[in-house]
Amino acid sequence: MSELHELCQLKRPITKGHLEKLKEYLAAGIPATYTLEEVDQFERGVDEELPSTTTPLHLICENVSHDFTPEEEEIVISMIDELFLNGAGWCLINAKNETPGCVLERRGFHGSKYWEQIVSAGVRAEVLLRHMESNIEFIEEDEVADYDKEPAKQEQQEGKEKEHDPAGDSDTFLKTKLKYTDDALLTDRKDGVMMQWEEKLMKAGCESLFKSVEDPNNVVVLNIGFGMGIIDSMIQNKNPTKHYICEAHPDVLDKMQRDGWMDKNNVVVLKGKWQDTLPPLLNEGVFFDGIYFDTFSEQYSDMLELYDLLVGLLKPEGTFSFFNGLGADRLVCYEVYKRVVELDLENYGLKTEFTEIEVPKTTNPDAKDSVWADIYRPYWTCPVYYHPEAKFM
Ligand SMILES: C[S@@+](CC[C@H](N)C(=O)[O-])C[C@H]1O[C@@H](n2cnc3c(N)ncnc32)[C@H](O)[C@@H]1O
């Protein structure tokens, strides 16, 4: 273990000397991301791919104590600030597959000042990363073509197929065969596209859509992503004047046809990707009291694209809600994304409020009768759901 790592074990009493020493090490050029694993390799004289990355920040999180004096707490907070100022990573993973935030959560420090520091650093990093990505200078298309051929050729030579990933790529998903079971909609490799355990979350979503109706005689709502039709059935029970549903997957559209959704008087089914079917509505004078968004295999960048349309489609008093599963495989990432969404919607003049909803215990992958038992990969492992409602300020 290096002196930097020893320092981050926070031997008490914690004094200003801790902070000064930390600054000294960092000023001397020791990276804030220097890991225990790198020290180990250095000591063994090897240079291998690192199996994990236990950083000084992990050690601090592993050693903070609930009985710190206020002075000690202040010093540790300054140490964390100093590490972030010097490029510490908020989401690097230690040998237990934990980020520093996960370590805090395990040790009962969720919501503490240290936790808040990590979430804030995560938000800054995510926003900065997006900014950098959007400012990258792209190479010309003909150059791309040449670059692209090489790896493809290499993969062919090595007999490698591109991994079939319906959850990570929208085009692949829309060509993937889907299957309805009693309590889920699954892809061919058993990704959970939609699952019955989300019913309570859909109920909250449906309630939000009707919260700010301007004229009870002209209630117009939009749901993007039919899935199992859970939220759409709830919407139908409220008998809106017009109920728009956007759906792109042919198997889901077939199911909607079989179940009579196309024949309902107040239902308008927009067949195809919302990216194609929503923009024409902007010229048709259609405005919504409520818009709900819950698709599959799309990225946060797609949601950002949706915000552009949202401001033109939502009535001034309207409510926007969505299935909030961004970063939901770790509580710390979930909270970072909660803030990122809040910031982004604020840029569009929308204020977002979140209500906490307890999720079923069976969504814990370690639960005896876990809902993930037969599923390719859990898409939800957080103990709490933050139900979002956004309205113009
Ligand atoms: C998670 S499910 C929706 C579940 C729904 N909220 C419910 O209550 O059952 C996602 C749905 O979005 C659809 N979808 C995915 N990408 C889409 C897109 N770009 N445009 C429209 N629908 C899309 C999928 O085919 C799928 O039916």
Side-chain angles (χ1 to χ4, degrees):
M1 187 175 290
S2 75
E3 286 176 30
L4 168 64
H5 294 118
E6 254 180 65
L7 182 76
C8 293
Q9 289 198 316
L10 304 179
K11 296 257 160 57
R12 295 176 76 179
I14 299 165
T15 64
K16 288 223 167 76
H18 277 74
L19 181 60
E20 277 150 26
K21 263 271 170 257
L22 177 67
K23 287 183 177 171
E24 208 177 283
Y25 293 144
L26 296 171
I30 303 179
T33 50
Y34 192 35
T35 64
L36 284 182
E37 292 79 353
E38 283 168 306
V39 178
D40 173 58
Q41 291 202 3
F42 175 75
E43 285 172 356
R44 289 189 293 120
V46 294
D47 184 11
E48 298 158 352
E49 199 183 324
L50 294 175
S52 54
T53 46
T54 311
T55 62
L57 193 54
H58 281 95
L59 295 179
I60 290 186
C61 293
E62 198 66 75
N63 289 288
V64 287
S65 168
H66 285 289
D67 68 359
F68 277 166
T69 63
E71 291 75 25
E72 285 180 312
E73 192 182 74
E74 271 313 302
I75 291 165
V76 173
I77 286 172
S78 301
M79 288 174 78
I80 295 177
D81 279 342
E82 201 56 37
L83 283 168
F84 278 130
L85 272 175
N86 283 275
W90 72 278
C91 61
L92 292 173
I93 302 292
N94 68 10
K96 290 186 194 155
N97 188 26
E98 291 172 323
T99 68
C102 302
V103 175
L104 287 178
E105 185 193 347
R106 164 170 55 77
R107 299 192 57 241
F109 284 90
H110 172 237
S112 64
K113 289 184 182 168
Y114 320 117
W115 173 271
E116 287 305 316
Q117 281 180 288
I118 289 176
V119 171
S120 300
V123 173
R124 288 195 300 272
E126 288 305 293
V127 172
L128 183 69
L129 186 72
R130 192 188 325 148
H131 195 69
M132 282 164 61
E133 278 173 352
S134 66
N135 282 307
I136 289 173
E137 216 176 285
F138 290 101
I139 42 182
E140 297 298 321
E141 242 177 56
D142 50 347
E143 289 174 89
V144 175
D146 287 343
Y147 272 87
D148 280 356
K149 270 180 226 147
E150 291 311 312
K153 231 192 282 165
Q154 206 178 325
E155 274 178 14
Q156 256 175 20
Q157 279 162 4
E158 289 169 11
K160 266 195 227 156
E161 284 285 315
K162 198 176 154 227
E163 198 203 341
H164 172 67
D165 183 13
D169 176 64
S170 177
D171 289 341
T172 308
F173 166 67
L174 293 174
K175 286 187 212 130
T176 297
K177 204 84 206 107
L178 302 184
K179 189 176 167 206
Y180 283 92
T181 67
D182 285 347
D183 56 4
L185 172 61
L186 306 175
T187 67
D188 53 357
R189 67 163 193 196
K190 295 199 170 171
D191 296 279
V193 178
M194 180 63 186
M195 298 174 78
Q196 195 65 39
W197 71 262
E198 287 185 39
E199 189 173 354
K200 195 161 139 194
L201 317 183
M202 294 302 121
K203 178 101 184 80
C206 175
E207 292 304 321
S208 296
L209 298 186
F210 291 85
K211 254 196 175 158
S212 51
V213 165
E214 277 178 20
D215 173 3
N217 295 316
N218 184 29
V219 183
V220 189
V221 294
L222 164 67
N223 174 44
I224 306 167
F226 179 82
M228 294 170 70
I230 299 178
I231 196 167
D232 286 300
S233 301
M234 292 170 177
I235 293 172
Q236 272 298 293
N237 286 339
K238 291 189 176 272
N239 198 22
T241 317
K242 274 267 177 283
H243 173 184
Y244 284 72
I245 306 172
C246 240
E247 177 52 53
H249 199 291
D251 294 351
V252 179
L253 286 165
D254 282 351
K255 166 89 172 144
M256 291 174 77
Q257 178 82 52
R258 286 197 302 278
D259 292 352
W261 283 89
M262 313 298 186
D263 310 320
K264 293 187 194 291
N265 280 336
N266 61 347
V267 169
V268 180
V269 180
L270 302 169
K271 298 180 187 173
K273 293 178 80 162
W274 61 265
Q275 291 88 338
D276 301 321
T277 58
L278 290 186
L281 298 186
L282 291 170
N283 300 322
E284 291 172 20
V286 182
F287 299 104
F288 296 100
D289 294 282
I291 298 181
Y292 193 77
F293 179 77
D294 179 14
T295 61
F296 184 77
S297 78
E298 298 200 310
Q299 313 299 323
Y300 186 57
S301 53
D302 295 295
M303 249 179 106
L304 285 170
E305 210 181 298
L306 176 78
Y307 298 163
D308 285 337
L309 300 172
L310 197 64
V311 286
L313 292 174
L314 205 56
K315 289 185 186 174
E317 297 298 322
T319 303
F320 169 59
S321 187
F322 57 93
F323 170 69
N324 184 14
L326 298 160
D329 45 3
R330 286 176 197 271
L331 189 56
V332 67
C333 300
Y334 192 45
E335 295 201 0
V336 165
Y337 259 86
K338 174 173 173 262
R339 292 227 196 129
V340 169
V341 166
E342 222 174 333
L343 281 175
D344 285 328
L345 283 171
E346 213 172 285
N347 280 335
Y348 284 85
L350 288 148
K351 180 166 173 45
T352 313
E353 276 171 13
F354 294 90
T355 318
E356 289 192 17
I357 299 180
E358 207 182 312
V359 292
K361 300 263 180 291
T362 48
T363 55
N364 182 335
D366 300 326
K368 196 165 64 64
D369 44 358
S370 170
V371 296
W372 309 117
D374 203 24
I375 299 295
Y376 179 72
R377 188 185 295 142
Y379 59 82
W380 184 277
T381 57
C382 285
V384 63
Y385 177 78
Y386 297 129
H387 169 64
E389 255 177 27
K391 290 192 173 78
F392 287 113
M393 290 183 244

